[in-house]
Amino acid sequence: MDIPDTPPPSHHADDSATSFQNPWPPKSLLASHQVFSQFPLALAKRIEGEVKSVKVVRPDFARDVSDEGVIKATWLGHAGFLVQLPRLPGCKPIRILFDPIWSERASPHQSAGPRRRLPPPCKLQELPDFQFVVTSHNHYDHLDYPTIDHIYKMKGTRVQFLAPLGNASWFRECGIPEDQVTQLDWYDSVKLQPSGTLDKYPSVKFICTPAQHASGRGLFDQRETLWSSWVVQQESEAGTTSVYHAGNRGEIRPIRPRDGPDLARFLAFLPLISRPPACLHGAS
């Protein structure tokens, strides 16, 4: 008797994990074959009224706060965060860099494209030592080649990169060894420890979780790699410390942290938008 093939997950748009979709309505932004069927495109509306500047503050990374029993988080602009998990006895603390971008423009070329409104709060080399870089999707304002290249050249084997399914080849093309890159599908998880160091660190669990968004770095690769949010968990005698990074989401679909008294600490990073989510999708 033939065993029927298992159907692909609902967020896979094909059987080969090379095209993806949002499993909730609206299911997707534009796929590559749809780009030229959606004209005329509307220009973004000009912001009316006074636009107040945001002061860029040089971060101190809470160095004067004890590393024990607390999560430390520093916003680095846009979706970028440096997160330090609570230091466990006998170990150095784990630090994770989410969606870093230090370039002047979110673009394939620094001569053109969307320019950042504010400068980075510090230089990359001024960040406290971090062990992991986590990417939510491959849009230029979240996955920046000059930044990733700088990080790898600066840290070598002492950093590991995580990204949603389909993105590992991009990191390899940047010259990063395969064993330093982990890609996961939604709901998949992996436990990792820092590599390339003699220092003692605990292991941490990375869980790739859903997001309602899209991907693509050009006209002809739309939705060919997965997008995601992330949960990071660290176990200790005090319970589970969880961090949730929402990435970039057209609509917020909560990822419920694990229930129970052992959920000792929980910190979430969510995007803020200035218009209702329906406007992002053209809904009435």
Side-chain angles (χ1 to χ4, degrees):
M1 183 174 95
D2 292 336
I3 300 176
D5 293 333
T6 302
S10 60
H11 60 287
H12 288 217
D14 63 14
D15 295 331
S16 60
T18 56
S19 181
F20 301 92
Q21 63 187 4
N22 293 302
W24 321 278
K27 283 188 174 265
S28 71
L29 299 181
L30 300 183
S32 293
H33 69 278
Q34 297 172 314
V35 170
F36 297 105
S37 67
Q38 301 295 318
F39 288 101
L41 298 176
L43 295 176
K45 293 181 179 180
R46 182 177 296 275
I47 299 174
E48 302 293 341
E50 181 184 3
V51 178
K52 294 183 178 180
S53 296
V54 176
K55 182 180 179 181
V56 178
V57 178
R58 188 175 184 82
D60 61 12
F61 306 104
R63 288 190 173 98
D64 59 343
V65 178
S66 171
D67 293 336
E68 295 184 16
V70 296
I71 307 172
K72 296 182 180 182
T74 302
W75 182 39
L76 301 170
H78 199 45
F81 286 90
L82 179 69
V83 177
Q84 179 179 309
L85 299 178
R87 183 172 63 84
L88 301 184
C91 297
K92 286 198 168 186
I94 294 285
R95 296 188 187 94
I96 304 157
L97 190 58
F98 288 95
D99 281 359
I101 172 170
W102 256 255
S103 288
E104 180 66 18
R105 297 180 184 271
S107 171
H109 302 287
Q110 290 301 300
S111 58
R115 173 175 282 171
R116 66 186 312 140
R117 182 176 176 83
L118 297 169
C122 64
K123 296 179 180 179
L124 259 175
Q125 55 268 32
E126 294 174 334
L127 295 176
D129 188 35
F130 56 91
Q131 296 77 41
F132 298 99
V133 176
V134 177
T135 297
S136 63
H137 63 294
N138 73 353
H139 286 160
Y140 287 96
D141 55 337
H142 292 253
L143 183 59
D144 178 50
Y145 169 73
T147 300
I148 296 298
D149 183 57
H150 188 169
I151 289 172
Y152 176 62
K153 288 177 178 177
M154 180 174 66
K155 298 187 69 66
T157 60
R158 297 180 294 108
V159 64
Q160 298 181 56
F161 299 87
L162 293 98
L165 194 62
N167 287 287
S169 60
W170 183 90
F171 288 88
R172 291 196 296 268
E173 289 169 3
C174 293
I176 300 172
E178 186 173 357
D179 62 359
Q180 287 179 243
V181 181
T182 299
Q183 65 174 8
L184 298 177
D185 200 353
W186 287 0
Y187 309 108
D188 287 346
S189 64
V190 63
K191 268 193 172 184
L192 296 173
Q193 276 186 298
S195 59
T197 176
L198 297 177
D199 294 320
K200 185 178 180 182
Y201 289 93
S203 62
V204 286
K205 184 177 183 179
F206 294 88
I207 308 169
C208 185
T209 46
Q212 184 149 347
H213 197 51
S215 66
R217 295 175 74 82
L219 290 177
F220 302 106
D221 68 341
Q222 297 298 298
R223 300 194 288 111
E224 290 184 358
T225 62
L226 188 57
W227 49 95
S228 74
S229 55
W230 288 90
V231 172
V232 181
Q233 294 184 328
Q234 178 180 274
E235 302 288 346
S236 70
E237 292 183 358
T240 302
T241 296
S242 294
V243 171
Y244 173 60
H245 185 274
N248 204 344
R249 305 166 72 102
E251 293 181 4
I252 299 298
R253 296 188 176 274
I255 305 299
R256 184 177 178 83
R258 189 173 65 180
D259 293 321
D262 61 343
L263 185 59
R265 306 167 197 89
F266 180 73
L267 179 64
F269 303 105
L270 305 175
L272 299 177
I273 57 176
S274 58
R275 54 196 184 278
C279 295
L280 295 177
H281 308 303
S284 59

